[in-house]
Amino acid sequence: MRCYCCSSKPFKTCCEPFIKGVEFPSSAEQLMRSRFSAYATAHYQYILETYTKEKQQGLSIENLAQNAQGATWFALQVHPAFADSSVHGNAKVEAADEADSHSKPITAIVEFTAYYFENKNMYQLHESSNFIVEEGKWRYHDGELHNDCGKIKYGRNLPCVCGSNKKFKQCCGLKNHSY
Ligand SMILES: [Zn+2]
Ligand SMILES: [Zn+2]
């Protein structure tokens, strides 16, 4: 099965090892993708654990699950990082071991658009997320929403947002009965 995060890899070798805690994401983008897949598969424990310590304070598995209720997350697009940025999502976590890591936190920004259905409507969430390396692991801190978030109309015959090369109505649109 193709991974929920819309990479071209199977779930088993993409996000599943991270969600199961067998492996740890080596980039902010991998963490972002695995958090999306965790939302798609209702693994709220993973969502909670991959927030920064500071953000975990005010959260619980129950309220994460409650906030996500009713939404069916079905597609993700990760936007290309700025080529000249030293802090884009592919910055490797290995740098965390460097001696100066205490004085300067390792951060990255990943911009993405995630798509979901709720009450038979289609929505997009367009966010630039801030990630920080804590204890050698990438964690999600917070994000800035872009102005185009919200309910959208998407053409039935357009290529699906998941990148499958199928028409929307023959792909993810099938998960929503109004399409
Ligand atoms: Zn994945
Ligand atoms: Zn699709």
Side-chain angles (χ1 to χ4, degrees):
M1 195 213 109
R2 188 174 173 231
C3 191
Y4 297 93
C5 79
C6 302
S7 70
S8 49
K9 292 191 266 177
F11 182 49
K12 266 190 170 171
T13 57
C14 186
C15 293
E16 193 178 34
F18 303 138
I19 295 172
K20 282 187 167 171
V22 179
E23 285 173 36
F24 296 100
S26 61
S27 70
E29 181 181 331
Q30 275 184 349
L31 176 63
M32 190 269 130
R33 288 180 171 279
S34 65
R35 283 172 52 90
F36 176 86
S37 293
Y39 269 112
T41 55
H43 282 91
Y44 301 112
Q45 173 90 40
Y46 184 76
I47 301 290
L48 183 65
E49 286 168 0
T50 52
Y51 270 101
T52 53
K53 290 230 166 90
E54 184 192 327
K55 295 291 175 183
Q56 282 185 32
Q57 298 301 310
L59 293 166
S60 69
I61 292 172
E62 289 71 30
N63 61 43
L64 287 170
Q66 212 158 30
N67 288 341
Q69 210 173 30
T72 306
W73 296 91
F74 67 90
L76 175 69
Q77 288 172 1
V78 178
H79 299 249
F82 294 104
D84 61 346
S85 170
S86 59
V87 292
H88 67 73
N90 291 319
K92 292 291 182 210
V93 76
E94 279 89 272
D97 298 328
E98 285 175 17
D100 66 349
S101 66
H102 297 288
S103 50
K104 196 166 166 261
I106 295 160
T107 62
I109 297 168
V110 181
E111 183 183 350
F112 67 90
T113 303
Y115 297 91
Y116 63 100
F117 294 124
E118 195 171 302
N119 297 322
K120 300 195 173 176
N121 292 306
M122 181 169 169
Y123 293 83
Q124 68 180 10
L125 177 81
H126 181 187
E127 184 181 307
S128 290
S129 298
N130 298 306
F131 295 88
I132 302 171
V133 173
E134 262 186 6
E135 297 166 343
K137 296 187 186 77
W138 281 106
R139 299 243 167 90
Y140 172 72
H141 189 64
D142 59 10
E144 219 168 289
L145 295 176
H146 294 247
N147 290 333
D148 55 352
C149 288
K151 202 194 280 192
I152 56 167
K153 278 274 167 207
Y154 196 77
R156 293 165 47 81
N157 291 309
L158 290 175
C160 192
V161 289
C162 75
S164 66
N165 292 324
K166 289 186 223 168
K167 285 181 180 176
F168 181 59
K169 67 177 178 186
Q170 287 158 351
C171 187
C172 295
L174 294 171
K175 295 169 189 165
N176 181 352
H177 299 301
S178 72
Y179 273 93

